[in-house]
Amino acid sequence: MNIYQHFRPEEREYIDQVLHWKNYVETQYTPKLTDFLDPREQHILKMLIGENGEVRYNLFGGSQDVERKRAYIFPEYLTASENDFQICLFEIDYPTKFVTIEHRQVLGTLMSLGLKRGKFGDILMKDGKIQFFSAKEISDYTKSNVESIGRAGVKLVETNIANVIVAKELWEERDLTVSSLRLDTVISGIYQVSRQKSLVFIQQGLVKVNWTLIENPSFICEAGDMISVRGFGRAKLIDVEGKTKKEKWRISVRKQK
């Protein structure tokens, strides 16, 4: 059976990695802890490992409502606890009265440390409070190397993950009709901009599908895809409902408010 046919060509490398993890746990009888995975990667991992085999998995990102999670893959006779995920929570201490720090600035600072995105979980913001999850193995390095974000002097304070802030996202659902499922056309419909403008967004590297930068306007979107355009928020393509009499596609989307 060709497992690759169920996924996109650009996902092959990650599929091979998941199969390698599974095989490692199966043959070495040893658990495997992954980096933080985005929801698409989690979905692929769930499908490849399955629910009833000799290898099991649990996902945890530090809190219930987070997107990015580490996977703990283990033989069926073991169990997983929260401690196995090796996650710590940092709060950013900064002069809230005088500066505003944005999500992209926090991410940019963390990425400038030379570590992979997979070493960090969600970045949470609410009423001026900012927190982020990190892998325990890089927490000391992170703490000693982050002293400023943007123009603000900051201090990272490690806190118990029970103190996590809950930042609820609001989404609105609607149905659309688009002339094709090409990425530029779908973006044009969701964000109510011209095709020309959506093309520019894609060419400028502002568009991600399933957390991966896509620079091909003719990329075909599918149900379940998460689309984000920098500065315009995120949207999820919930369903592709078929064609109208005029040969247009009916789709339903959920867009971040």
Side-chain angles (χ1 to χ4, degrees):
M1 184 187 86
N2 179 9
I3 51 165
Y4 299 112
Q5 70 193 29
H6 302 290
F7 304 99
R8 290 185 164 127
E10 62 270 19
E11 293 170 334
R12 283 186 80 134
E13 196 181 325
Y14 175 68
I15 290 164
D16 291 341
Q17 190 173 38
V18 175
L19 294 173
H20 174 73
W21 292 335
K22 185 181 180 185
N23 183 55
Y24 170 82
V25 173
E26 231 160 17
T27 55
Q28 303 298 314
Y29 308 105
T30 307
K32 164 73 186 165
L33 178 64
T34 73
D35 282 346
F36 286 92
L37 307 174
D38 66 43
R40 176 66 184 172
E41 291 168 332
Q42 294 165 37
H43 171 71
I44 293 171
L45 182 135
K46 287 178 187 175
M47 289 185 73
L48 294 177
I49 292 181
E51 300 297 333
N52 303 309
E54 290 174 16
V55 175
R56 301 288 165 92
Y57 68 87
N58 273 9
L59 297 164
F60 184 61
S63 170
Q64 287 313 307
D65 297 318
V66 295
E67 275 189 351
R68 301 177 64 79
K69 296 174 184 175
R70 297 187 90 166
Y72 185 72
I73 308 166
F74 55 98
E76 61 173 340
Y77 52 82
L78 294 180
T79 54
S81 73
E82 273 188 18
N83 288 338
D84 293 319
F85 289 89
Q86 299 289 302
I87 293 171
C88 60
L89 176 64
F90 282 113
E91 189 153 322
I92 299 173
D93 186 10
Y94 71 104
T96 48
K97 283 184 180 172
F98 305 106
V99 284
T100 304
I101 293 177
E102 294 177 10
H103 186 285
R104 62 183 176 80
Q105 292 174 305
V106 179
L107 183 58
T109 300
L110 296 178
M111 291 298 89
S112 73
L113 298 174
L115 296 164
K116 290 190 299 186
R117 178 68 180 99
K119 292 297 176 192
F120 300 101
D122 280 26
I123 297 165
L124 309 167
M125 314 185 99
K126 189 179 186 181
D127 304 329
K129 213 177 199 187
I130 307 171
Q131 297 175 338
F132 66 88
F133 291 106
S134 101
K136 222 166 214 147
E137 63 268 21
I138 52 101
S139 62
D140 288 344
Y141 176 80
T142 305
K143 203 187 307 190
S144 54
N145 282 282
V146 174
E147 293 173 345
S148 65
I149 296 176
R151 292 183 176 174
V154 303
K155 187 177 167 209
L156 297 187
V157 181
E158 198 170 335
T159 181
N160 191 299
I161 60 174
N163 299 326
V164 65
I165 53 180
V166 180
K168 275 276 180 235
E169 290 184 342
L170 296 172
W171 297 79
E172 60 178 344
E173 213 163 301
R174 55 200 176 96
D175 296 322
L176 297 173
T177 309
V178 289
S179 58
S180 89
L181 296 174
R182 281 172 51 115
L183 182 58
D184 54 355
T185 311
V186 171
I187 285 174
S188 175
I190 292 173
Y191 297 97
Q192 295 172 322
V193 296
S194 67
R195 268 283 291 286
Q196 203 52 46
K197 203 162 191 179
S198 66
L199 204 56
V200 172
F201 292 155
I202 295 165
Q203 287 164 346
Q204 288 180 342
L206 304 179
V207 175
K208 287 185 178 181
V209 179
N210 299 325
W211 298 269
T212 302
L213 188 69
I214 302 291
E215 292 175 312
N216 174 14
S218 59
F219 177 94
I220 298 298
C221 298
E222 296 172 6
D225 283 348
M226 179 69 89
I227 299 164
S228 71
V229 179
R230 197 186 306 159
F232 285 78
R234 301 190 299 173
K236 186 167 187 178
L237 180 51
I238 304 295
D239 199 12
V240 177
E241 295 160 359
K243 286 189 170 181
T244 64
K245 285 176 183 168
K246 293 183 176 175
E247 288 295 294
K248 289 194 167 190
W249 290 96
R250 269 199 310 272
I251 60 173
S252 64
V253 299
R254 191 179 293 149
K255 184 168 171 281
Q256 211 172 16
K257 280 186 176 179

